[in-house]
Amino acid sequence: MAKGKSAAKPAKASGPAVSPLAPKSYPSLPPLAGVRLSTGAAGVRYKDRTDVVLAVLAPGTQVAGVFTKSKTASAPVDWCKANLKAGGARALVVNSGNANAFTGKAGYDGARQIAESTAAVVGCRPSEVFMASTGVIGEPLPANRITKLLGALAETGSAAGWRAAAEAIMTTDTYPKLATASAMIDGKRVTINGIAKGSGMIAPDMATMLSFVFTDANLPASVLQELLAAAVRPSFNAITVDSDTSTSDTLLLFATGKGAHHAAVTKAYDKRLNEFRQRLDAVLLSLALQVVRDGEGAQKLIRIDVSGAESDDAAKHIAMSVANSPLVKTAIAGNDANWGRIVMAVGKSGEAADRDKLKIAFGNQIVAENGARALKYNEAAATKAVKGREVEIAIDIGLGKGKARVWTCDLTHGYIDINGSYRS
């Protein structure tokens, strides 16, 4: 907490109840050598709650990142992309309540002001400061409200501030998103901690709205970048809530090198990184699925498996066509085993499909095959398969060996309620 400020609640902004798909408990992330976290209440948009996170990173920390492909990306995204190539990081600043997107020159000036102020209190170059903003688009960012907290935040950082940091970056989220894992590198144990935020405007083309992952392993930026690029494909790039890609999508991976000393690794596919790679993949998948489970108004998590497509890319396009279909998502929300909507979504994907070879199943219930309703179709069993909190849809295209798995959530009136009043 910044000095001189009254106690602010490290909690979400007022809004809907916690998602029914939220985890029953939250992991306790251990301290990670080389990372100190602090949170403060700047009043960027929300009152009486934390909305700024400062992570101070040890000298020598390496960084990798992936970002939105939106053509209207935010100023913090532009700042991070411009400074990522150098590979070094000493601090991360994140604010919620204002995306600092579509804010023109003033937006970039605000980002630079935050970076320069952070660099002054941390003792580094502005180019070693990374940042992210999330919230309303098109509103000028009151950067001075953030910068005046930075000195106190730098002094009060803690190695145990993970839960508070995850809460401070929430917007329409209903719960904080955290994950942790450990791995062995050349016989030495290292730690991976991650936090994320995201609930709506989720159709990533790299990551989710915001996610920050840290490890105390000693890995160069080039290795981190290759590991991260591979890890987002089956995780953050395999989820969708509403088909809308944010202006702010940012996923940063930091390696402090301050954990247990292990032999130098210079290639991403060094066998000594096998377990680390698996654990990193698991952390990213956990965070990504927590985002889908917190989809705005969501009542159900939907997994879509496509097989038999002409290629993996074709399978991914088909799966996303199904996952992003409002008709599919509302049918599942209404407990309606309407497999005809799956047929529609496959057909509109633009990928090769043969209706006489198509097979569709809800759970273990085959509902369509050979160009028609399945011979053993059971309406009651199919309906039961889509009634639960978690729904599985399997689609066999029957043309090749391509396959893909994606996750989405149902579409309920709650989504309209949240987004119809987002700025009010």
Side-chain angles (χ1 to χ4, degrees), residues 175 177-181 192-196 206-208 211 213 227-228 230-240 251 276-294 301-303 305 405-408:
Y175 61 85
K177 299 160 183 70
L178 308 99
T180 186
I192 305 169
N193 285 350
I195 63 174
M206 43 55 61
T208 184
S211 185
V213 182
L227 291 172
L228 186 61
V232 295
R233 286 196 290 268
S235 58
F236 283 122
N237 276 353
I239 63 170
T240 178
L251 170 56
F276 181 86
R277 186 183 306 107
Q278 293 169 3
R279 298 294 190 272
L280 176 63
D281 290 352
V283 166
L284 294 191
L285 181 57
S286 174
L287 293 172
L289 291 184
Q290 289 178 60
V291 169
V292 181
R293 288 177 177 274
D294 203 16
L301 176 70
I302 306 168
R303 192 184 82 190
D305 287 293
R405 171 176 288 178
V406 304
W407 290 265
T408 188

Side-chain angles (χ1 to χ4, degrees), residues 296-308:
E296 290 171 341
Q299 298 291 307
K300 300 182 182 186
L301 176 70
I302 306 168
R303 192 184 82 190
I304 300 166
D305 287 293
V306 172
S307 60

Side-chain angles (χ1 to χ4, degrees), residues 165-237:
E167 290 176 334
I169 63 176
M170 292 163 58
T171 53
T172 58
D173 306 60
T174 69
Y175 61 85
K177 299 160 183 70
L178 308 99
T180 186
S182 63
M184 303 296 288
I185 299 179
D186 197 35
K188 304 296 183 179
R189 186 170 298 280
V190 299
T191 299
I192 305 169
N193 285 350
I195 63 174
K197 68 85 52 191
S199 186
M201 203 183 290
I202 305 295
D205 202 1
M206 43 55 61
T208 184
M209 290 187 73
L210 299 181
S211 185
F212 311 104
V213 182
F214 305 79
T215 180
D216 55 9
N218 182 15
L219 297 172
S222 59
V223 170
L224 291 178
Q225 191 65 47
E226 193 168 348
L227 291 172
L228 186 61
V232 295
R233 286 196 290 268
S235 58
F236 283 122
N237 276 353

Side-chain angles (χ1 to χ4, degrees), residues 40-313:
V44 173
R45 181 181 181 218
Y46 306 119
K47 293 182 179 180
D48 300 322
R49 59 153 285 188
T50 54
D51 58 359
V52 176
V53 175
L54 172 64
V56 177
L57 308 170
T61 295
Q62 298 286 283
V63 61
V66 286
F67 306 92
T68 184
K69 291 184 179 178
S70 170
K71 301 302 182 183
T72 54
S74 70
V77 167
D78 289 342
W79 176 272
C80 290
K81 290 172 71 173
N83 291 297
L84 189 66
K85 290 182 180 180
R90 288 296 316 284
L92 169 70
V93 183
V94 188
N95 76 269
S96 58
N98 185 309
N100 196 12
F102 211 73
T103 47
K105 184 177 182 298
Y108 197 81
D109 288 344
R112 185 176 64 249
Q113 179 184 343
I114 292 170
E116 290 174 348
S117 296
T118 304
V121 299
V122 172
C124 67
R125 297 186 298 273
S127 61
E128 295 176 298
V129 176
F130 288 78
M131 68 186 72
S133 299
T134 179
V136 174
I137 295 170
E139 292 288 337
L141 177 69
N144 62 311
R145 297 183 189 177
I146 297 172
T147 56
K148 69 181 181 181
L149 299 184
L150 292 173
L153 292 179
E155 293 178 7
T156 58
S158 165
W162 299 100
R163 173 72 179 267
E167 290 176 334
I169 63 176
M170 292 163 58
T171 53
T172 58
D173 306 60
T174 69
Y175 61 85
K177 299 160 183 70
L178 308 99
T180 186
S182 63
M184 303 296 288
I185 299 179
D186 197 35
K188 304 296 183 179
R189 186 170 298 280
V190 299
T191 299
I192 305 169
N193 285 350
I195 63 174
K197 68 85 52 191
S199 186
M201 203 183 290
I202 305 295
D205 202 1
M206 43 55 61
T208 184
M209 290 187 73
L210 299 181
S211 185
F212 311 104
V213 182
F214 305 79
T215 180
D216 55 9
N218 182 15
L219 297 172
S222 59
V223 170
L224 291 178
Q225 191 65 47
E226 193 168 348
L227 291 172
L228 186 61
V232 295
R233 286 196 290 268
S235 58
F236 283 122
N237 276 353
I239 63 170
T240 178
V241 167
D242 49 19
S243 81
D244 288 332
T245 297
S246 168
T247 61
S248 307
D249 285 351
T250 298
L251 170 56
L252 295 171
L253 172 59
F254 301 94
T256 67
K258 301 303 179 182
H261 179 73
H262 59 81
V265 178
T266 59
K267 295 183 179 180
Y269 286 90
D270 188 311
K271 291 182 179 180
R272 292 172 294 182
L273 285 181
N274 285 351
E275 185 173 307
F276 181 86
R277 186 183 306 107
Q278 293 169 3
R279 298 294 190 272
L280 176 63
D281 290 352
V283 166
L284 294 191
L285 181 57
S286 174
L287 293 172
L289 291 184
Q290 289 178 60
V291 169
V292 181
R293 288 177 177 274
D294 203 16
E296 290 171 341
Q299 298 291 307
K300 300 182 182 186
L301 176 70
I302 306 168
R303 192 184 82 190
I304 300 166
D305 287 293
V306 172
S307 60
E310 287 192 327
S311 67
D312 289 348
D313 284 345

